[in-house]
Amino acid sequence: MITVNNLGLHYGSHKLFDKVDLQFTPGNCYGIIGANGAGKSTLLKLISGEIESTSGSVFIAPNTRLSVLKQNQELYNDYSVLETVLMGNGPLYACGKEKDALYEKEDFSDEDGLRAAELEDLFAELGGWEAESEAAQMLSGLGLPVDLHDKQMSELTGRQKVKVLLAQALFGRPDIILLDEPTNNLDIDSVVWLEEFLLDYPGTVLVVSHDRYFLNTVCTHIVDIDYGKIKLYVGNYDFWYESSQLIQRLLRDQNKKNEDKIKALQDFIQRFSANKSKSRQATSRKKLIDKLTVEELPASSRRYPWVGFEPKRETGKDILTVDGISKTVDGVELLNNVSFILSKDDKVAFIGDNELAITTLFQILAGEVEPDKGEYKWGVTTTQTYFPRDHGSYFEDNFDLIEWMRQFSDDKRESFVRQFLGRMLFSGDDVYKQVSVLSGGEKVRCMLSKMMLSGANVLLLDQPTNHLDMESIAALNNGLEAFNEPILLATHDHQMIQTVANRIIEFLPDGQIRDRRMTYDEYVAARREGK
């Protein structure tokens, strides 16, 4: 158990949060959410003891083993992959090293023999004889083949190192696991393996993630950091989001009778509790939700942008034909005879480890890059708007936000542009900021605004959720779900793919594609069954 008492953290006059009282208990998974800069990662560092609080305390019982997902990929470059994972269990690793050092001594004494016997008992008690096998199974489950297990960490790619560090954090059955964005750079199969591991894990898990599907799958509770306060709620992310939105709607209606409010909230709890459960943690979560009172539901003060795409005209029958497109970049064949036909009702998600190939196809379809072979043709009724993965060139001019947005708006009036910017959370003096100094998330909101103003009837989006907070991701997700024309989408957000796409095109290592008309969950299930 982790007990947080009156915890506070101040940086000079800036208060990150204050008077935080929380308890984290075994058998539960706590998803930590909050706006960018709210202090999600900082809370994990306070709990792990990496940084000191300004006030209050964090208590973890003696002999409790806490494991943290390391963020520094270069930290273990001098060690082998397998040894790096074994380091995740500090007591076991130290025992093994001391034992090996004793046996390597040339002048092995009787005293050394007694110590070696003690270490052998401890090694066995800590599961040392099964440790390498367990570590190897974890690495294989995360998609690292056996032939990499004895290599030096310095020989691995960044994505491979992430998997090793994740295996290290999970290894050896720790009592508490702290994970900061564990699904970043993981492929589909690795994320599924991690979800299943956490669902069966009996200890305490605290996880920071922008992946709403992941939070919905593994979390029993949500820890919400909002305007300097940290509150704990029962349920997964969707339950937190839907209940917070419901409460805000009810609170806005000042004439609502209190009894009606209570009835509406209780009906909501009952409906959500009836959702099917698919794991031990989901069953536990349902029981907790059943016991909720109205006062325990969230009332978030978060602001959500408004995202909506309204085409000026409908598309006709012919949308897009891609015929035999091939493209080689820097001697690497990224696209190899790619062909497909896009229909009016298609919402296509492009997935695969070779993200450069996906981006290259988007650039070709947007007219920015020429293919080496093959051709594509857009239907005469289509108009396209494109969200490029790298959009830095759009923000090189010394425009303020109003001037920048006017470039893309038919209505040039400042009142209209300001109103539009306000819906995208740019208000007051923010509209006079130079676009060159905007944050990554602000630039993404600007690019989405540009797309909305275009009135196009086909959307091309290459990694639009990068740099966005969860509120903006949810708003974009809602906007794409409501769009009734064709969409071409590349994103790491599982929930967005599942709720938006009805067709999955997977890019294979040889530059070809596998085209499937199904939802993302159906695709993941088919992969797990080897289909």
Side-chain angles (χ1 to χ4, degrees), residues 318-331:
D318 297 324
I319 306 299
L320 171 67
T321 301
V322 175
D323 185 16
I325 284 182
S326 296
K327 183 68 177 179
T328 298
V329 177
D330 296 331

Side-chain angles (χ1 to χ4, degrees), residues 13-215:
S13 59
H14 174 62
K15 180 180 73 174
L16 196 58
F17 38 72
D18 200 18
K19 298 179 181 177
V20 177
D21 294 301
L22 297 168
Q23 276 196 342
F24 303 106
T25 56
N28 290 315
C29 180
Y30 300 86
I32 302 173
I33 64 171
N36 292 340
K40 301 183 293 294
S41 298
T42 302
L43 179 60
L44 290 187
K45 291 177 180 178
L46 285 167
I47 291 172
S48 68
E50 184 177 340
I51 61 176
E52 294 289 330
S53 62
T54 307
S55 60
S57 64
V58 176
F59 176 76
I60 299 174
N63 301 318
T64 298
R65 193 161 73 81
L66 182 147
S67 184
V68 179
L69 173 60
K70 304 289 196 307
Q71 301 297 318
N72 185 353
Q73 295 182 9
E74 313 307 317
L75 193 60
Y76 299 95
N77 277 350
D78 296 333
Y79 298 91
S80 73
V81 168
L82 200 59
E83 187 175 9
T84 299
V85 177
L86 295 175
M87 287 179 179
N89 187 338
L92 172 62
Y93 182 74
C95 177
K97 296 296 285 185
E98 184 181 353
K99 181 167 68 75
D100 291 343
L102 277 176
Y103 288 136
E104 290 173 2
K105 290 180 65 175
E106 294 183 3
D107 53 342
F108 191 81
S109 65
D110 291 342
E111 185 178 337
D112 291 334
L114 291 173
R115 178 57 181 162
E118 293 175 357
L119 291 172
E120 290 287 3
D121 289 341
L122 178 60
F123 190 74
E125 182 183 331
L126 293 173
W129 300 115
E130 302 83 30
E132 288 195 6
S133 174
E134 179 187 339
Q137 287 178 359
M138 281 189 164
L139 289 168
S140 298
L142 287 167
L144 280 179
V146 175
D147 59 356
L148 292 180
H149 295 185
D150 292 324
K151 289 188 177 297
Q152 293 294 105
M153 285 287 286
S154 57
E155 300 179 60
L156 270 56
T157 66
R159 296 187 74 172
Q160 290 170 336
K161 288 179 180 179
V162 166
K163 293 182 177 183
V164 177
L165 294 178
L166 181 56
Q168 181 194 71
L170 305 177
F171 172 70
R173 298 175 292 280
D175 302 295
I176 299 169
I177 301 176
L178 307 183
L179 302 173
D180 193 350
E181 297 292 357
T183 62
N184 281 3
N185 292 312
L186 289 189
D187 53 73
I188 299 164
D189 297 328
S190 299
V191 173
V192 171
W193 182 92
L194 176 60
E195 289 171 349
E196 292 178 346
F197 178 93
L198 294 179
L199 287 170
D200 290 331
Y201 175 70
T204 306
V205 180
L206 277 69
V207 56
V208 172
S209 178
H210 282 81
D211 188 331
R212 297 165 298 154
Y213 186 91
F214 180 74
L215 294 177

Side-chain angles (χ1 to χ4, degrees), residues 209-228:
S209 178
H210 282 81
D211 188 331
R212 297 165 298 154
Y213 186 91
F214 180 74
L215 294 177
N216 282 330
T217 301
V218 303
C219 289
T220 58
H221 297 73
I222 292 296
V223 179
D224 181 26
I225 305 178
D226 196 2
Y227 288 86

Side-chain angles (χ1 to χ4, degrees), residues 350-491:
F350 294 112
I351 65 171
D353 289 341
N354 193 346
E355 295 181 357
L356 181 56
I358 297 174
T359 292
T360 300
L361 180 63
F362 271 111
Q363 291 171 332
I364 290 172
L365 298 181
E368 294 186 352
V369 172
E370 290 292 325
D372 297 334
K373 297 179 183 177
E375 60 183 6
Y376 67 95
K377 183 179 180 182
W378 287 104
V380 294
T381 63
T382 67
T383 53
Q384 306 87 41
T385 183
Y386 172 44
F387 182 101
R389 181 171 185 162
D390 182 4
H391 44 265
S393 60
Y394 286 84
F395 300 93
E396 293 174 349
D397 294 319
N398 291 321
F399 290 148
D400 63 31
L401 267 169
I402 291 179
E403 293 170 324
W404 189 89
M405 199 64 70
R406 273 184 174 144
Q407 300 175 94
F408 311 109
S409 177
D410 293 335
D411 190 332
K412 307 294 184 183
R413 292 174 302 158
E414 181 169 333
S415 59
F416 172 80
V417 176
R418 286 185 71 110
Q419 183 181 23
F420 195 93
L421 287 168
R423 293 193 299 181
M424 295 301 286
L425 306 185
F426 298 107
S427 58
D429 292 339
D430 286 346
V431 299
Y432 299 115
K433 289 172 68 172
Q434 299 291 303
V435 294
S436 58
V437 301
L438 295 177
S439 69
E442 289 172 329
K443 288 178 180 177
V444 171
R445 280 187 271 132
C446 284
M447 292 299 296
L448 294 175
S449 299
K450 170 183 173 294
M451 295 181 73
M452 287 188 276
L453 288 167
S454 72
N457 54 23
V458 180
L459 306 181
L460 292 81
L461 302 107
D462 187 9
Q463 299 299 339
T465 61
N466 289 356
H467 307 295
L468 287 184
D469 55 27
M470 293 181 74
E471 293 73 43
S472 297
I473 292 173
L476 173 59
N477 202 146
N478 293 338
L480 293 179
E481 282 189 72
F483 187 70
N484 294 320
E485 298 289 350
I487 297 173
L488 301 178
L489 171 68
T491 179

